[in-house]
Amino acid sequence: MPLSSLPAARTTVFAPRLAALLREHTGKDAFRLEPDTMGVAGPALADRILAARRATETERPTFKPLHGRSIGRSEAASVMRVIGRDVREALERPLPKDADLTGPWPLTGHLFLRDLILGGDPRRLRILMSRNLELTPKLTWSVIAAGAAVPRRKRPGRISSGIAGLFAEAGGYHDRRHAMGIYRRAAAPVCFTVSTLVANALWLGSPFTGETSHRNVLHEAARLLPPSWNILRYASPEYGALDARIGARDDVLVLPLLSHRDPALWEDPDVFLPGRWDHLDPETAPGYLPFGHSSERCWGRHMVMPLAELLLDLIRGAGLEVDPAQRRAKVPLVGLLGVEDVRLTKAARNVR
């Protein structure tokens, strides 16, 4: 199901199941998706569902149990502080002057961020940043197991990231394996999410006018193509008490993908209009959940926006835009929602 966006010549083609969700359920409050799953898109009901209880360890997207070992909230918070410090330090360093951001996105942006933040890390850790590992958890775990089997060799003078330091401090095989899993869980999503968000923004609105705020562009891209497009809550007694349509054994899937396009909440809901955020607060706009609910926001959101703005700065400064010959881009059905293979080229007016 192709859905048009700005510029008008481009068409965004959603995977069939995503297109069906948009076609059949946009504007609805709650609806049955499967015999044991209710979909929720109404902002008031979604708010009550997500505020009813905290996410369990198996519902948390980043810090689910790792190969059977729980990741407590204190460990998760500590890890996020470490990767947050790595991001701040990367932003404070001089940027590479020869960076080439042309090519396919989000891959190009992902590789740039990997090298910017984690460029000094050991190869066995940097390989965990590969997007190919998204193909199957078994492949990811095989790479981790192989890397953990070799004891860490200290290299004097080598500068690594703080998140890599957790691996350096690990003792035996099981601790090294856990540290490598944490590295993948914490570092990779930052680069994946930022590069996907920027690719979405480029596809939806490039080229941008000089007065367009980067922050507004990103908020609007996260509205139309929210990288985190669903929030899962397993069956819980609290939910039936909130709405009689939810059975005792029903899982609940809250869908920002739909609430972000609800015509009752947004003027011209399918149109890319960054200027709407001049008058809206992303922290309080009803139904707007790109980083989760106010009761439990994504810990990485404070890293995502500065990095995404940096990429937009570099892209606009280099005179890059989406290849004018590209008219269609697909949005596959994967956990991180975004267009694939957006081609970024030098704008014709800047070619010499």
Side-chain angles (χ1 to χ4, degrees), residues 58-79:
T58 56
E59 293 168 340
R60 288 184 286 160
T62 300
F63 293 110
K64 289 180 171 67
L66 184 57
H67 208 65
R69 178 171 165 179
S70 292
I71 302 171
R73 289 184 179 273
S74 60
E75 180 184 4
S78 175
V79 168

Side-chain angles (χ1 to χ4, degrees), residues 54 60 63 73-74 76-77 80 297-303:
R54 300 185 76 175
R60 288 184 286 160
F63 293 110
R73 289 184 179 273
S74 60
M80 292 308 294
R297 292 276 195 235
C298 170
W299 289 340
R301 70 188 188 279
H302 297 303
M303 293 178 264

Side-chain angles (χ1 to χ4, degrees), residues 29 31 33 37-43 45-51 228-233 239 246 251-259 287 289 292-293:
D29 182 47
F31 41 89
L33 288 170
T37 307
M38 284 293 292
V40 170
L45 180 56
D47 184 74
R48 294 196 300 270
I49 291 288
L50 296 174
S228 180
W229 63 276
N230 69 82
I231 304 170
L232 176 64
R233 290 293 182 266
Y239 302 149
I246 303 174
D251 296 334
V252 176
L253 196 66
V254 176
L255 291 159
L257 174 69
L258 301 186
S259 64
L289 301 169
H293 186 254

Side-chain angles (χ1 to χ4, degrees), residues 193 197 218-219 222 226-228 231 256 260 283 288-294 296-302 304-305:
T193 302
L197 177 59
L218 295 168
H219 286 318
S228 180
I231 304 170
H260 287 191
E283 294 294 322
Y288 187 64
L289 301 169
F291 296 112
H293 186 254
S294 59
E296 201 163 10
R297 292 276 195 235
C298 170
W299 289 340
R301 70 188 188 279
H302 297 303
V304 169
M305 296 303 280

Side-chain angles (χ1 to χ4, degrees), residues 3-12 203-204 324-329:
L3 293 180
S4 295
S5 61
L6 291 182
R10 295 182 194 144
T11 300
T12 306
W203 175 251
L204 292 167
Q326 185 173 2
R327 295 287 183 263
R328 295 164 66 87

Side-chain angles (χ1 to χ4, degrees), residues 8 65 128 132 134-135 147 153 173 192 195 211 236 302:
L128 295 175
N132 292 332
E134 295 288 284
L135 297 174
R153 295 187 297 274
Y173 167 74
F192 290 163
S195 57
E211 65 272 13
S236 188
H302 297 303

Side-chain angles (χ1 to χ4, degrees), residues 70-92:
S70 292
I71 302 171
R73 289 184 179 273
S74 60
E75 180 184 4
S78 175
V79 168
M80 292 308 294
R81 284 194 296 271
V82 171
I83 188 64
R85 187 164 57 248
D86 288 334
V87 168
R88 289 193 300 274
E89 291 176 355
L91 290 170
E92 291 169 359

